[in-house]
Amino acid sequence: MEKTKPSLIKILLILNLAISTCAAIGVGYLAYNQSTSPDFSEMNPRGGGQMAPGSYQFQPGQDQSDQTQ
């Protein structure tokens, strides 16, 4: 068991290094893709680049079917 401990530790350290390297590459890839994608303001949403109006609040004494959203 004493001889297998150092080799097991080496294997685990190499495995840890490989997993960390893959994670760093993945994070870099995602950061690069996000930086090259257009912003939401440049995508020209259906509102023509303007924010959608806020939701209307129901007020007492007013029929809810009259409101449009």
Side-chain angles (χ1 to χ4, degrees), residues 29-51:
Y29 174 75
L30 291 176
Y32 174 75
N33 276 348
Q34 188 173 9
S35 69
T36 59
S37 67
D39 292 335
F40 284 115
S41 61
E42 296 173 3
M43 279 198 231
N44 196 10
R46 66 184 174 144
Q50 297 177 352
M51 295 289 289

Side-chain angles (χ1 to χ4, degrees), residues 4-64:
T4 60
K5 274 189 179 181
S7 63
L8 180 64
I9 291 174
K10 281 184 183 179
I11 291 171
L12 289 175
L13 284 173
I14 292 170
L15 185 65
N16 189 11
L17 179 65
I19 291 172
S20 299
T21 303
C22 290
I25 290 171
V27 167
Y29 174 75
L30 291 176
Y32 174 75
N33 276 348
Q34 188 173 9
S35 69
T36 59
S37 67
D39 292 335
F40 284 115
S41 61
E42 296 173 3
M43 279 198 231
N44 196 10
R46 66 184 174 144
Q50 297 177 352
M51 295 289 289
S55 61
Y56 297 99
Q57 297 291 327
F58 177 72
Q59 297 175 359
Q62 190 177 24
D63 189 13
Q64 202 170 13

